[in-house]
Amino acid sequence: MTQRFRVVVERFRSRLLEGNPLGDPVERDLHLVVPETLEPGRKLPVVWCLVGYGGVGKMLLRDDPWEEGLRERLDRLLREGRVGPGIYVLPDCFTRYGGSQYLNSTATGPYEDYLWKELLPFVTSKYPCGRHGVMGKSSGGFGALVQGMRHPEILSAVACHSGDAAFEYCYLGDIPKFLDAIGQKGGLDRFLAAFDSAPKKRDGRWMTAMNLLAMAAAYSPRPGGSTLGIDFPCDLVTGEMRDDVWKRWLDWDPLRMVDRHAAALKGMRLVFLDCGTKDEFHLQYGARMLDRRLQALGVRHIYEEFDDGHMGISYRYERSLPLLWEALRE
């Protein structure tokens, strides 16, 4: 009988997320895609799959007759001999603001620690895990690259699809839109109340402003601060930039981080980057700068561009999944 993959749903209660400032769930589903049959004694590659802003891991499974979900794609790649058996972990790091950037923040919760201090030992205790890698798209691509740089003791391979980088290009243009959105509602608290009651939350007008809020919560939290415990990169009335806060954002820019973490990236068995040439958030420029900087640092990597935008590009996993499996297999 031909080997296939199956979806497993585990239920995990986090001790680290207890008392998180947004009141987000501490007990969550953890979806995994694993082989139907696990061979005794055989350790398998593990890929942590990080979704973009506004998403949870199970969304990678999709329910769309016109497009493959992760399990269906892996089944086909397995039949074609392009991947072998592996374990794919789809964590839920969603917050009230739409995402955590997979970072620890006093404004949202310790999501980086949630991944590696709680979910990692949980997964390795239940499944035959070999080497670990990480992949993601958009904010998930940011998460994959940053977590790879920060945790080379855990991760051996990274695939970043259209990840946030070169923050001046992908965030600055949205700051006036964020200010307009909260100003029109009469302030940040009223904006959030209106968002909570909105029947259609994935409207672009909401999402742009919420994305900026989520980024501020991830990159520049302020414990005990009066405005949601967050420092914003600009004055919320005049729009004047606050250079000290903006610098805190830039400290999390992968383009700036690579110099500090070059040794970690050089130790990776795979560093894969790609981006569409028509990316609506201008992320192709950050990707190109990253490619050039990695070359200058002597970090072996693969960089590719493709003729498309930012949305609906899960078909690009066709490229990264076989590379990850090959890099991680025993």
Side-chain angles (χ1 to χ4, degrees), residues 124-137:
T124 56
S125 71
K126 295 177 72 75
Y127 297 92
C129 297
R131 297 188 185 98
H132 293 256
V134 61
M135 66 175 288
K137 181 251 180 181

Side-chain angles (χ1 to χ4, degrees), residues 48-53 60 101-103 134-149 155 157-165 167 171 219 252-255 257-258 265 271-275 279 283 287 290 310 313 317 320:
W48 294 76
C49 305
L50 308 183
V51 294
Y53 174 76
L60 289 168
Q101 294 298 92
Y102 305 96
L103 299 176
V134 61
M135 66 175 288
K137 181 251 180 181
S138 192
S139 283
F142 165 90
L145 188 53
V146 168
Q147 293 306 312
M149 287 191 279
L155 299 166
V158 169
C160 169
H161 295 279
S162 305
D164 300 10
F167 285 2
Y171 294 146
Y219 302 144
W252 285 110
D253 187 342
L255 186 60
M257 292 181 68
V258 291
L265 291 172
V271 177
F272 175 87
L273 309 170
D274 75 357
C275 197
D279 192 281
L283 293 169
L290 271 171
H310 192 76
I313 57 169
Y317 302 155
S320 60

Side-chain angles (χ1 to χ4, degrees), residues 238-252:
T238 68
E240 181 179 3
M241 289 297 292
R242 299 176 60 191
D243 293 340
D244 58 330
V245 179
W246 179 241
K247 182 184 182 303
R248 292 170 62 191
W249 283 47
L250 294 181
D251 286 342
W252 285 110

